[in-house]
Amino acid sequence: MRSLLLIFGLLLTFSCSQKQGKAEEENQLPNIVFIFTDDLGYGDLGCFGATDIATPNIDRIAAEGIKFTSFLSASPVCSPSRAGLLTGRMPQRMGINAVFFPESLTGMAPEEITFAEILKEKGYQTAHVGKWHLGHMEKYLPLNQGFDSYYGIPYSNDMTSVVYLKDNEIDSISVNQRFTTKTYTQKSLEFIDQAADGPFLLYLAHNMPHVPIYASPEFEGTSQRGLYGDVIQEIDWSVGQILKKLEEKGLMENTMIVFSSDNGPWLVMEDHGGSAGPLREGKQFTFEGGVRVPTVAMWKGKIDPGQVYEDLATQMDWFPTFCKLVGAEIPQDRAIDGKDLSAVLFENGMREGDEFIYYMLSDQRGYRLGDWKVKRPFAGFAGSRGMKAVAAHDTLLFNLKSDPGETTNLAKENPEKLAQMMRTMDLAVQQLGSLPPSLVVRGPQDNSHYIYLEEKRKKE
């Protein structure tokens, strides 16, 4: 009898231990690695159709996880898109409509809540490596937006005074951009090494392939698309290094990895810009090539491999998705525009909501509802050194399901659909309410002294 009681006790202890272990495993907070590129086009990755650039590591994420084929950035330019990503909010709600410069005295308000802040409150160690571009003055830097550490160039790499910041201090004023991708990769690997006990957030935002583009010597000449392709192949190598490190640390089963881009390719840069693939136009425009970005995600054992999601999703969706993953409350004191992607990622389900309002800077230019997209008339742009020429157009109506390249205007043959889309767009914009004025990103120079001298010399 005593032996039976002993055996029963041991079985009960073992069963409780198993249940406790399973509960702990289920309650374990996942690590998050978010890899962001700058100006990467929809047609620049193998898993999105590129045949002249080899991206086996990024393709692996798509194969072992999910590929989003209709994933929209919050903006076709840099700073607004990053604000939308980190906060889950339309950048227009924050007055962030233009790109910040090294002379900007403004930035994303510290009162905004980033997903880094949400995760930090849940005990995450948080690191940002790479391009920030939401204000370079100390009050706007990553350490005041939920990140424990920062290393990178705080704005675009074509701007004046390119420096490496370490936290809030200048680490180097001599930046050899041929090695920037390698530098960011090494800093990221060092962070994973010391944060491996988790949970941790790594937000790695490459400056490349924003111009000027550079690849380290061993990657030069390795692609079939010139230097631009070499740059992408080095970014893919960087992704591979991070995947390898996670595997070495035994973290793949508890890490969600996302790879994406801030906006479409800078087509005016020709062979130093990217490709939008089958999409129309690129960066700085609200055609799909400017806003639809290549996006893939994986989490071994949690996201079923080989998924392809073809419906609308947005960069702003990661904020509520990460909140859901860690059991955090979504802030109720402000509008959050993103939608939780958990059903898409883990249940082969659908995203809630199917509308998107297209803005370029503070100019509201278009609207999507389901498969349909309408664009307001556009006066055209003659082109400049930094912005591609685009012809003027009347009101446009597209069915993105059948025509993702926006080649056929259906407005004349679908007058009722056009009228419905215009009404719905106007209502959606109206429901945004009063938006704040655009933040001033750079002031005018006072050149009256030069004008004075020119006028003086004319009189002499």
Side-chain angles (χ1 to χ4, degrees):
M1 184 66 179
R2 188 176 296 172
S3 298
L4 286 173
L5 288 172
L6 180 61
I7 292 170
F8 178 76
L10 289 171
L11 287 172
L12 185 62
T13 302
F14 178 71
S15 175
C16 290
S17 176
Q18 272 195 322
K19 288 179 181 178
Q20 183 180 354
K22 187 176 181 181
E24 287 176 357
E25 184 180 340
E26 289 176 350
N27 292 329
Q28 189 176 8
L29 294 173
N31 306 310
I32 296 172
V33 174
F34 199 103
I35 304 172
F36 215 35
T37 51
D38 195 342
D39 294 356
L40 180 74
Y42 194 85
D44 292 335
L45 302 177
C47 52
F48 282 85
T51 58
D52 50 0
I53 302 177
T55 55
N57 296 296
I58 300 167
D59 297 350
R60 175 190 170 186
I61 297 176
E64 297 184 17
I66 186 170
K67 178 173 78 170
F68 293 88
T69 62
S70 192
F71 200 93
L72 304 184
S73 180
S75 170
V77 291
C78 184
S79 295
S81 68
R82 290 161 197 269
L85 163 68
L86 288 168
T87 66
R89 286 157 51 78
M90 291 179 61
Q92 289 73 31
R93 295 190 189 276
M94 300 173 264
I96 301 177
N97 293 312
V99 171
F100 295 110
F101 289 84
E103 62 266 34
S104 294
L105 301 178
T106 53
M108 186 169 74
E111 292 76 22
E112 293 294 339
I113 300 173
T114 68
F115 59 63
E117 290 175 277
I118 295 289
L119 296 176
K120 189 172 180 178
E121 289 180 359
K122 286 290 184 176
Y124 277 69
Q125 188 172 347
T126 59
H128 175 31
V129 176
K131 178 177 176 177
W132 175 241
H133 215 177
L134 289 169
H136 72 286
M137 300 187 74
E138 184 172 337
K139 67 183 289 188
Y140 303 119
L141 285 173
L143 267 61
N144 285 321
Q145 295 286 7
F147 290 97
D148 296 314
S149 63
Y150 172 59
Y151 192 93
I153 300 170
Y155 28 73
S156 291
N157 59 318
D158 64 335
M159 294 180 173
T160 55
S161 304
V162 170
V163 298
Y164 281 138
L165 289 189
K166 183 177 182 181
D167 295 334
N168 292 332
E169 305 295 331
I170 293 177
D171 184 62
S172 175
I173 60 172
S174 179
V175 176
N176 185 343
Q177 292 196 46
R178 295 180 77 192
F179 300 102
T180 295
T181 298
K182 280 202 164 182
T183 298
Y184 288 169
T185 304
Q186 185 57 40
K187 295 293 183 184
S188 297
L189 298 178
E190 290 172 3
F191 171 72
I192 294 173
D193 272 330
Q194 62 90 18
D197 290 339
F200 66 79
L201 162 69
L202 170 62
Y203 171 45
L204 166 57
H206 290 285
N207 280 87
M208 300 293 150
H210 190 291
V211 291
I213 54 173
Y214 295 92
S216 58
E218 56 264 53
F219 286 94
E220 291 178 348
T222 60
S223 81
Q224 297 178 43
R225 206 199 291 177
L227 180 58
Y228 183 88
D230 301 342
V231 169
I232 303 307
Q233 292 191 173
E234 184 165 16
I235 290 173
D236 183 77
W237 163 84
S238 173
V239 171
Q241 292 297 297
I242 290 171
L243 294 177
K244 181 180 177 182
K245 176 64 71 174
L246 293 171
E247 288 175 328
E248 289 174 354
K249 295 289 183 180
L251 298 174
M252 289 295 280
E253 288 79 5
N254 195 44
T255 302
M256 182 172 175
I257 305 149
V258 182
F259 180 94
S260 191
S261 178
D262 65 341
N263 47 247
W266 204 350
L267 298 179
V268 75
M269 297 301 163
E270 299 180 2
D271 60 313
H272 276 205
S275 166
L279 306 179
R280 183 170 174 176
E281 301 303 342
K283 174 178 176 172
Q284 301 162 325
F285 294 97
T286 53
F287 288 103
E288 291 299 285
V291 184
R292 192 182 298 204
V293 290
T295 302
V296 294
M298 70 178 288
W299 182 357
K300 189 175 180 180
K302 297 293 175 65
I303 298 176
D304 289 341
Q307 290 188 67
V308 177
Y309 189 71
E310 298 181 346
D311 291 294
L312 172 70
T314 83
Q315 213 69 267
M316 295 174 286
D317 295 342
W318 296 116
F319 182 96
T321 302
F322 294 159
C323 286
K324 178 70 174 296
L325 281 181
V326 303
E329 291 288 331
I330 294 175
Q332 300 297 309
D333 63 340
R334 64 200 66 203
I336 301 296
D337 299 292
K339 304 295 183 182
D340 176 24
L341 293 175
S342 296
V344 176
L345 295 169
F346 310 121
E347 302 168 14
N348 295 301
M350 300 292 293
R351 174 189 184 269
E352 177 190 349
D354 60 353
E355 70 173 350
F356 184 84
I357 305 173
Y358 294 79
Y359 275 86
M360 168 55 185
L361 306 181
S362 58
D363 187 16
Q364 195 272 310
R365 294 187 181 176
Y367 176 74
R368 174 173 172 177
L369 182 64
D371 296 333
W372 290 90
K373 177 178 178 180
V374 65
K375 282 182 62 59
R376 298 186 188 277
F378 180 60
F381 182 72
S384 68
R385 186 173 70 170
M387 192 166 172
K388 185 177 176 291
V390 170
H393 62 71
D394 201 346
T395 304
L396 302 176
L397 179 68
F398 302 111
N399 186 303
L400 295 177
K401 194 76 168 180
S402 58
D403 182 24
E406 298 171 293
T407 60
T408 305
N409 184 10
L410 301 175
K412 288 185 179 180
E413 60 189 79
N414 292 274
E416 292 183 4
K417 187 66 180 180
L418 175 63
Q420 176 201 357
M421 289 292 291
M422 293 294 288
R423 287 194 303 269
T424 310
M425 173 171 61
D426 290 339
L427 178 61
V429 173
Q430 181 182 341
Q431 288 176 340
L432 293 178
S434 178
L435 298 173
S438 298
L439 295 178
V440 177
V441 296
R442 64 199 312 186
Q445 287 181 293
D446 184 349
N447 290 318
S448 59
H449 48 301
Y450 291 118
I451 297 172
Y452 162 74
L453 289 174
E454 288 171 4
E455 293 299 322
K456 177 183 175 184
R457 285 167 187 154
K458 286 178 183 178
K459 294 176 182 178
E460 290 177 351

